[in-house]
Amino acid sequence: MYKIFVYGTLKSEYLQNKLLGHTLDSYEARLEGYSINTGEKYFNVVPNAGGCVKGRVLLVDKRDMFYIDQWEVIPMYMKAEVEVHSKYGYERVYIYIKKDKEEKINLQDNVENMCNNEDLEGTIDEFAEARDMEFPVCDIYLNYPIDIKACDFSKIEKKQDIFTEKVKDIIRDKEFSFLGYEYLTYQSGEKHVRVRVSLYCISDSKNATLSVMLPVSTCNPTRLWERAFAGKLEVEGRGFAEYLDSKYNIKVLDEPKIIIFSSGEIDESKRIEVFSVEEDEGNNFDISKLANTDISKSDDVQIYESENVKIEIPNNFDVCYTDRLKSVMFTLSV
């Protein structure tokens, strides 16, 4: 069982029911040395000497934690550990804190409402309806090879963030840079899907990769992969490749590769579904064999792989995304 200190929308029992299918046990607590920033649509806590945030501690199991991560749009909000005071004294708990700089600041301690969204229940309903429930919660990565000769990397604004800093401790022979966030869109049947992604550039003197990261993705991995492999992803009404060239001066080559890092067992039919996407392009391989051959040679993880697909199912899917990222970092950097 895990503990999360909440101060905004996660206090809503309506949200808990929609997100998890049940409400959570909780109790009152306070977070000293912080205040609530109510200047933006959704609240966030920021350090503030003398501040004190009143909230609740939720008791959460691991499965529910990942569904909550989806609502918190990891990595827009990241889990950190803080010390709160409750009826049990001082205790260490998780909290969601915004990863990037605040756009507007309006600090308060005592806040009755949960956010500045006037139609919170409508937003919750829309979110619950749109997310995929066929697959376990997965981290998804689309890795596009970059035409390094056609790109002027000196003109690309390469930023550093908490992920790129952590990567430096693991991979020392490549440069990892954060480019920004985008909203990918694509058509899936009659549904128009829109997902928020983080863009990272991985490079050395000879090769470069654009990694499109979707932590705790809410979209169906197969449907996303179908559109990505066929070059049918869009941003702001333009093809993804065209958009990358225009905004970031990045020219991608060929179709991407996909890594699906799963929080739970993906059954055979779903694995076959993912691998079948490549079959439409005339690739000659036994899909059933790929979907049923664990190449990991380890008791800690299952790995199923083809030329363009890698499905990893670890026994331990870490609660914090930054810890999970370490598990796939070497794969991303190849």
Side-chain angles (χ1 to χ4, degrees), residues 202-241:
I202 307 169
S203 62
D204 57 25
S205 59
K206 296 180 180 179
N207 299 289
T209 300
L210 174 73
S211 189
V212 181
M213 298 187 178
L214 294 80
V216 288
S217 176
T218 58
C219 66
N220 181 290
T222 305
R223 304 287 86 81
L224 174 71
W225 177 224
E226 285 174 344
R227 302 311 183 268
F229 195 71
K232 294 183 179 179
L233 298 179
E234 295 185 350
V235 178
E236 297 181 1
R238 286 187 284 174
F240 189 38

Side-chain angles (χ1 to χ4, degrees), residues 1 32 48 118 131 136 166 171 223 233 279 292 302:
M1 189 66 67
E32 298 166 352
N48 183 34
E118 295 181 356
R131 65 177 173 160
K166 282 185 173 291
I171 307 294
R223 304 287 86 81
L233 298 179
E279 185 180 40
N292 287 288
Q302 300 170 52

Side-chain angles (χ1 to χ4, degrees), residues 61-72:
D61 67 21
K62 197 169 187 178
R63 177 179 175 274
D64 287 345
M65 181 78 89
F66 299 140
Y67 287 139
I68 293 172
D69 278 358
Q70 288 183 326
W71 172 255
E72 293 292 335

Side-chain angles (χ1 to χ4, degrees), residues 128-248:
E129 176 66 25
R131 65 177 173 160
D132 174 67
M133 298 297 286
E134 293 183 34
F135 280 75
V137 172
C138 298
D139 297 333
I140 302 177
Y141 305 87
L142 295 173
N143 285 350
Y144 288 83
I146 295 174
D147 185 350
I148 198 167
K149 295 179 180 178
C151 297
D152 184 352
F153 281 86
S154 65
K155 294 182 179 179
I156 299 174
E157 184 184 0
K158 294 176 285 186
K159 311 164 193 172
Q160 299 299 307
D161 66 357
I162 59 174
F163 296 151
T164 58
E165 290 300 318
K166 282 185 173 291
V167 167
K168 288 178 183 178
D169 297 332
I170 307 170
I171 307 294
R172 301 182 183 275
D173 61 343
K174 296 180 186 290
E175 180 182 5
F176 281 71
S177 302
F178 172 57
L179 301 180
Y181 302 111
E182 298 293 348
Y183 281 93
L184 286 181
T185 61
Y186 59 91
Q187 203 67 28
S188 178
E190 296 182 356
K191 292 175 61 177
H192 186 72
V193 181
R194 185 171 183 261
V195 290
R196 188 176 189 269
V197 301
S198 305
L199 304 182
Y200 286 81
C201 183
I202 307 169
S203 62
D204 57 25
S205 59
K206 296 180 180 179
N207 299 289
T209 300
L210 174 73
S211 189
V212 181
M213 298 187 178
L214 294 80
V216 288
S217 176
T218 58
C219 66
N220 181 290
T222 305
R223 304 287 86 81
L224 174 71
W225 177 224
E226 285 174 344
R227 302 311 183 268
F229 195 71
K232 294 183 179 179
L233 298 179
E234 295 185 350
V235 178
E236 297 181 1
R238 286 187 284 174
F240 189 38
E242 177 192 349
Y243 183 86
L244 290 170
D245 188 13
S246 173
K247 181 172 180 179
Y248 295 103

